[in-house]
Amino acid sequence: MYPMMTPTQMISLSFKTGMMLMEAQMVIGMRMMGMAGLWCVLPSENARMSSEKVAAYGQSAVAATTAAMTGKSPAQVAEAALKPVARATKSNVKRLARRGPGKP
């Protein structure tokens, strides 16, 4: 039986999840502005939206399963699951922000 999450683990996981969610909303906003012609995005952006989710969620499932099967705590399993998705959202924010409104 695993002990409950410590307050530090709870705060850390909450912060990381919140950052990922905030970055995801930024990506959604920039992509929607791109669809409206207000943000410079590549024509391949719409296809990328779908394909990258499949890859990130697949990596997340593998990471969580691996962590669980190797005896990690529930907090460590959750962090392992979050990491690939957070990495993708952070990467998208940086990439899309560089393109910006009015930039070629």
Side-chain angles (χ1 to χ4, degrees), residues 35-73:
M35 288 179 209
L38 302 171
W39 200 268
C40 293
V41 295
L42 296 175
S44 61
E45 194 65 36
N46 288 346
R48 186 178 184 147
M49 283 190 291
S50 300
S51 64
E52 72 185 9
K53 285 174 181 55
V54 173
Y57 291 131
Q59 292 168 1
S60 178
V62 169
T65 301
T66 302
M69 296 299 285
T70 56
K72 302 289 185 204
S73 71

Side-chain angles (χ1 to χ4, degrees), residues 4-88:
M4 301 263 311
M5 287 176 64
T6 66
T8 302
Q9 288 173 320
M10 284 181 182
I11 291 168
S12 175
L13 186 57
S14 295
F15 177 74
K16 289 174 184 176
T17 302
M19 285 298 294
M20 182 275 300
L21 292 170
M22 182 175 58
E23 289 166 345
Q25 289 300 309
M26 292 168 65
V27 170
I28 291 168
M30 287 184 275
R31 284 179 168 163
M32 288 182 71
M33 287 191 293
M35 288 179 209
L38 302 171
W39 200 268
C40 293
V41 295
L42 296 175
S44 61
E45 194 65 36
N46 288 346
R48 186 178 184 147
M49 283 190 291
S50 300
S51 64
E52 72 185 9
K53 285 174 181 55
V54 173
Y57 291 131
Q59 292 168 1
S60 178
V62 169
T65 301
T66 302
M69 296 299 285
T70 56
K72 302 289 185 204
S73 71
Q76 291 169 316
V77 172
E79 285 219 25
L82 179 62
K83 191 176 278 188
V85 177
R87 184 175 39 241

